[in-house]
Amino acid sequence: MRQAIAVRRKAGRMMLAMGAMTMLSCAVIIGCGSGTAPSLGGEAETKVTPAADPIGERLFLDTRFSEYFATHMTNVNAPLTTGDPVVATVQTANGPLPGPFAGQSINCRSCHFVTEFQGVANAGNRTYADFTTRSPLPLSQNGLDATPRNAMQMVGTFAPHSGPQFLHFDGEFATGIDLVVGTLTGRNFGWKPTEYDAAIAHIARVIREDDGSSQLAADRSDGLSYGILFKGTDSRITSDILLPASQRIDVTTATDTQIVNEVALCMAQYFEDLQFKHDNFGRYDTSPYDLFLNANHLPLAPLVGETDLAYSQRLYLQVVALNNPIYITPADGTYAYHSFDFKFGALELQGLKIFLKAAASGSGTDQHAGNCAACHTPPNFSDFVFHNTGVSQEEYDGVHGSGAFAALHVPGLSERSAAYDQYLPSNPAHPNASEALRRPAGTNANYADLGLWNIYLNPAYPNPQANIKSVVCATGVDCSVDSGLALTIAEFKTPLLRDLVDSAPYFHNGSAAKFDDVVNHYIAFSALAKAGGMRNAPAQFANMSLSADDLQALVAFLTSITEDYDDA
């Protein structure tokens, strides 16, 4: 849990070369709400922020790790004479905006925004997400000008939960360290699969040769170089950025790989501390929904030993039994960054009931039952695993016609293994792979996006395999054929729904611009699944029974989980 880093560090939070967007507050704490919602029962728990966290934040913002910087730099401490065009603007659904890192090169924050566009019309705050359908790449690679995914929100990704940790929409990374190494050395930073070693060497060079002269270093770490911070013996290092002895390395003697792993350790700590506000009991306490539960003495979190799913079912029974509910109105709180009212009223309550309710299978088609909590399980509003929502099928059929995705040839494990380059993603072990089944649907009918299918049982991604198998082949699931590979077709990780307003557009391909589009998608595809027209339909759709009559209430409820996340 984050505590505010020192006031002296927060005072000088001017972002580097911000172009039209000049102000960015980057000290992150666990309590990130800026509205006036009251606390539920005590102050936010105060814990010392690990020193790796603020160092990781600086690394997250550093624009020198990309292939573009490596190719165009004069030395690692000098600004570029010409910035990478990919960061000159930021793509949004309403047109481009001036890029906050214009004149520089890509960094992690270039796709995971927070307050860079605070107050900007048709943009606003983000929960470490972008504004576009698929994130742009610095260089076109393998016929792709953008990633197959948009930037999944990062806040809450590491929220405590039962079960294994999966990162990215298709689970290719098992840990934050894996994610950092894979991202910094991959195409998101302009590196080709054949350039992995060059990327490692360049990142290590930046760390070794950094002299702490940048404004970023001044704002985040008192002008100290990475080498000084990582060694941890200099008397100028203050306690909040002093790494424990077990995490220190000497960059003058460490290998390139050891240095990159140190970078990854710090950045992973930063990721883990990106959390929505909660109280000293670990309960979320900021959104109108949270205040409604508290005001009506409804359970805010699972009991000790209770699963999130069991908690959601218990919550549903108490919600439907609620008499004379106490509603939350604008008198109870306000939003700082949103124009709609801070409220949880009768319509939001109706939406909550629909959200939690599971329909009785085969007993009607209009039961006002979303069964949403089966996957978006409260209180985190995610089960942190994988499901097929039908989004890939919708995209593919939209190009090739109804039923085309159901008829698409998807190889079994043996065929896929024998023709890796024909089907699977490119990576350092397979730089020439076509990535045919991890692409947006297009004129080439062989291109589709199968999500988790690309990673599961793929030897190029060994680290997450055991954990993926544990959820694919869960109790009661038949994995006897090809160890369940077909069960992963078009599955993607369940995103969190908290502060969902600040991570649009929705789904892995950004195909849903607003909540209405999301709800309408589920109305259509749950019906398609019941009619036998959805490939690899999820079991949860059997207990989903929605109609257009449910749209307004569900949208109202989803809006009520909003808070003012601003990372300051």
Side-chain angles (χ1 to χ4, degrees), residues 261-522:
N261 285 339
E262 181 77 0
V263 168
L265 180 150
C266 293
M267 290 180 69
Q269 181 64 61
Y270 174 64
F271 300 163
E272 290 177 18
D273 293 339
L274 298 175
Q275 301 290 344
F276 291 113
K277 185 177 180 296
H278 54 262
D279 66 15
N280 57 331
F281 298 104
R283 307 173 306 184
Y284 294 105
D285 67 350
T286 302
S287 74
Y289 161 77
D290 300 314
L291 271 60
F292 173 80
L293 294 189
N294 186 63
N296 290 279
H297 305 289
L298 296 168
L300 294 158
L303 300 170
V304 175
E306 184 180 32
T307 67
D308 285 354
L309 187 58
Y311 159 70
S312 72
Q313 293 165 344
R314 178 167 61 93
L315 175 61
Y316 172 70
L317 294 176
Q318 295 192 34
V319 166
V320 296
L322 188 63
N323 293 316
N324 301 315
I326 300 171
Y327 292 126
I328 303 302
T329 74
D332 298 306
T334 61
Y335 289 119
Y337 307 130
H338 303 99
S339 59
F340 48 84
D341 285 341
F342 187 98
K343 64 176 184 175
F344 192 104
L347 188 61
E348 288 77 13
L349 177 57
Q350 180 186 349
L352 172 59
K353 292 176 182 177
I354 295 169
F355 187 93
L356 295 173
K357 183 179 179 182
S361 298
S363 59
T365 58
D366 189 10
Q367 301 180 51
H368 305 294
N371 198 30
C372 311
C375 302
H376 293 285
T377 318
N380 293 310
F381 291 99
S382 176
D383 60 3
F384 298 92
V385 293
F386 306 92
H387 302 281
N388 176 17
T389 61
V391 172
S392 284
Q393 180 167 335
E394 180 180 51
E395 179 179 73
Y396 191 87
D397 284 359
V399 175
H400 301 290
S402 178
F405 187 79
L408 175 69
H409 173 65
V410 177
L413 181 60
S414 298
E415 181 185 354
R416 190 186 78 167
S417 300
Y420 190 105
D421 285 3
Q422 182 177 346
Y423 298 111
L424 290 169
S426 61
N427 51 64
H430 296 274
N432 299 316
S434 70
E435 202 151 350
L437 296 177
R438 200 191 196 192
R439 288 179 181 265
T443 56
N444 188 331
N446 293 317
Y447 290 170
D449 195 344
L450 302 190
L452 180 62
W453 182 92
N454 289 278
I455 303 302
Y456 183 46
L457 301 177
N458 184 339
Y461 302 91
N463 290 354
Q465 294 305 322
N467 285 341
I468 296 176
K469 185 174 183 179
S470 73
V471 298
V472 171
C473 300
T475 302
V477 175
D478 182 8
C479 273
S480 58
V481 179
D482 280 353
S483 297
L485 181 62
L487 300 175
T488 66
I489 290 174
E491 288 199 333
F492 297 89
K493 184 183 173 185
T494 309
L496 286 77
L497 300 186
R498 286 191 172 272
D499 206 11
L500 196 62
V501 169
D502 291 332
S503 61
Y506 308 114
F507 298 135
H508 73 273
N509 62 357
S511 60
K514 53 188 185 298
F515 290 167
D516 302 55
D517 301 323
V518 174
V519 176
N520 280 324
H521 171 85
Y522 283 113

Side-chain angles (χ1 to χ4, degrees), residues 167-174 178 386 438 455 461 463-464 468:
L167 299 172
H168 274 205
F169 273 112
D170 39 13
E172 63 191 289
F173 302 116
D178 289 347
F386 306 92
R438 200 191 196 192
I455 303 302
Y461 302 91
N463 290 354
I468 296 176

